[in-house]
């Protein structure tokens, strides 16, 4: 278990840059991810961990890849559903082992219609993970009608942590330090919808300052016109203690 976590979190900084490209599992072909086979190899050198579905990892990540793998194992809804909160566990533990997954990601829908089944999914994956020493990443989902307050994130991250996951993915919010302090396992922050690069760097900086142990960023990297430069700037914040201003200047130097 520790070895897997050490693959995900850089031994020097203790933090991680996860690159999330699992969006296709419910969004289909997302803007910027039309050609996974081109996008992933381009960004691979600059990330610590690849977060994707079994299909994307099997087809578009070279088998000799040495980066950590966060394998999305829950699935079951699509953009065509009104309610996205009903999922199943779609990947057997044997295949997670076969794919050298360093953690298995499960979406949890606290407060939504599918809460019970998503907690059931999460528990099954955690139990299997303990049998074979593979960490589970509990993903805090936010639905269309679900609140995105610090009160909600404090509740949801804590519930997910208490289920026994080894790491949690959530969103940045006000009083983020309190969410981190009340969560007994490391938190990584999702990027969310595409922002102007400078704002995305600010989000990354605030997350790390607030105690996040990394970013699990997708659209703010792969939808940038300068995705390679963007991920390098994010790295500076996550691993080298850059401020958002320093990272922005670094980004500007690379792009001009
Ligand atoms: C989708 C996910 C994504 O991996 C997560 O939202 C990170 O991507 P982005 O930074 O684009 O939000 O879990 O359910």
């Amino acid at each position: 278990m520790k070895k897997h976590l050490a693959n995900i979190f850089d031994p020097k900084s203790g933090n991680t840059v996860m690159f999330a490209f699992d969006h296709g599992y419910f969004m289909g072909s997302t803007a910027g991810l039309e050609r996974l086979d081109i996008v992933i190899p381009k960004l691979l050198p600059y990330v610590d961990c690849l977060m994707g579905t079994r299909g994307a990892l099997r087809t578009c990540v070279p088998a000799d890849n040495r980066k950590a793998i966060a394998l999305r194992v829950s699935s079951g809804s699509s953009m065509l559903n009104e309610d996205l909160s009903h999922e199943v566990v779609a990947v057997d533990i044997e295949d997670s082992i076969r794919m050298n997954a360093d953690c298995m990601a499960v979406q949890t829908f606290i407060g939504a219609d599918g809460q019970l089944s998503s907690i059931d999914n999460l528990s099954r994956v955690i139990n299997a993970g303990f049998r074979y020493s593979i960490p589970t990443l509990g993903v805090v989902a936010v639905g269309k009608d679900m609140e995105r307050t610090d009160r909600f994130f404090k509740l949801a991250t804590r519930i997910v942590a208490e289920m026994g996951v080894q790491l949690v993915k959530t969103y940045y919010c006000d009083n983020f330090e309190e969410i981190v302090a009340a969560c007994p396992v490391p938190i990584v922050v999702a990027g969310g919808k595409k922002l102007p690069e400078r704002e995305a760097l600010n989000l990354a900086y605030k997350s790390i300052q607030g105690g996040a142990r990394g970013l699990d960023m997708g659209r703010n990297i792969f939808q940038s016109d300068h995705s390679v430069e963007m991920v390098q700037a994010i790295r500076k914040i996550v691993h080298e203690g850059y401020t958002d201003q320093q990272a922005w200047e670094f980004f500007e130097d690379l792009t001009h």
Side-chain angles (χ1 to χ4, degrees):
M1 195 74 87
K2 276 194 171 170
K3 174 123 191 273
H4 284 301
L5 292 170
N7 285 344
I8 296 170
F9 295 102
D10 181 88
K12 212 162 145 207
S13 69
N15 293 340
T16 188
V17 176
M18 277 190 191
F19 174 50
F21 53 89
D22 58 329
H23 306 60
Y25 101 95
F26 75 106
M27 293 169 105
S29 174
T30 316
L33 286 184
E34 294 88 351
R35 291 292 306 269
L36 287 170
D37 57 325
I38 296 174
V39 171
I40 298 170
K42 193 167 70 169
L43 298 171
L44 193 61
Y46 308 105
V47 305
D48 302 304
C49 183
L50 295 167
M51 183 182 188
T53 59
R54 168 164 61 181
L57 290 163
R58 280 199 178 284
T59 53
C60 300
V61 174
D64 59 359
N65 161 59
R66 309 287 296 191
K67 301 295 170 116
I69 297 287
L71 175 63
R72 172 168 286 284
V73 299
S74 67
S75 171
S77 53
S78 77
M79 293 303 277
L80 303 177
N81 297 128
E82 266 301 302
D83 181 353
L84 298 174
S85 72
H86 298 279
E87 294 194 337
V88 295
V89 177
V91 181
D92 285 343
I93 184 72
E94 287 78 12
D95 214 27
S96 298
I97 296 167
R98 194 177 293 120
M99 293 180 68
N100 299 313
D102 292 296
C103 67
M104 299 174 288
V106 180
Q107 204 84 356
T108 55
F109 299 89
I110 307 300
D113 200 39
Q115 173 176 306
L116 179 61
S117 61
S118 74
I119 292 287
D120 187 44
N121 294 339
L122 184 69
S123 312
R124 286 168 197 276
V125 172
I126 294 168
N127 289 333
F130 274 120
R131 276 204 297 282
Y132 297 101
S133 300
I134 301 183
T136 300
L137 166 61
V139 179
V140 173
V142 284
K144 266 190 295 219
D145 304 323
M146 288 158 69
E147 52 173 314
R148 292 178 181 233
T149 59
D150 46 349
R151 183 179 148 272
F152 168 74
F153 288 119
K154 199 187 264 184
L155 174 94
T157 53
R158 183 60 179 258
I159 289 175
V160 169
E162 299 250 0
M163 296 303 300
V165 300
Q166 285 72 28
L167 56 169
V168 169
K169 171 164 120 169
T170 190
Y171 291 86
Y172 184 79
C173 60
D174 291 341
N175 302 315
F176 185 69
E177 303 75 12
E178 287 180 24
I179 281 89
V180 172
C183 182
V185 294
I187 287 185
V188 291
V189 171
K193 283 193 182 140
K194 173 80 176 70
L195 300 166
E197 279 78 2
R198 197 171 184 155
E199 286 174 36
L201 293 173
N202 178 251
L203 171 76
Y205 177 64
K206 286 191 298 190
S207 302
I208 297 298
Q209 283 295 105
R213 291 276 304 280
L215 272 296
D216 185 7
M217 200 170 247
R219 286 162 286 182
N220 279 291
I221 295 174
F222 65 72
Q223 288 181 346
S224 170
D225 290 339
H226 300 286
S227 55
V228 171
E229 292 82 2
M230 187 60 184
V231 72
Q232 290 181 77
I234 295 284
R235 255 196 112 66
K236 292 285 181 194
I237 294 172
V238 171
H239 290 310
E240 295 182 34
Y242 274 36
T243 62
D244 50 340
Q245 177 63 27
Q246 288 171 316
W248 171 248
E249 286 164 15
F250 172 80
F251 176 79
E252 288 226 293
D253 279 351
L254 291 181
T255 50
H256 287 92

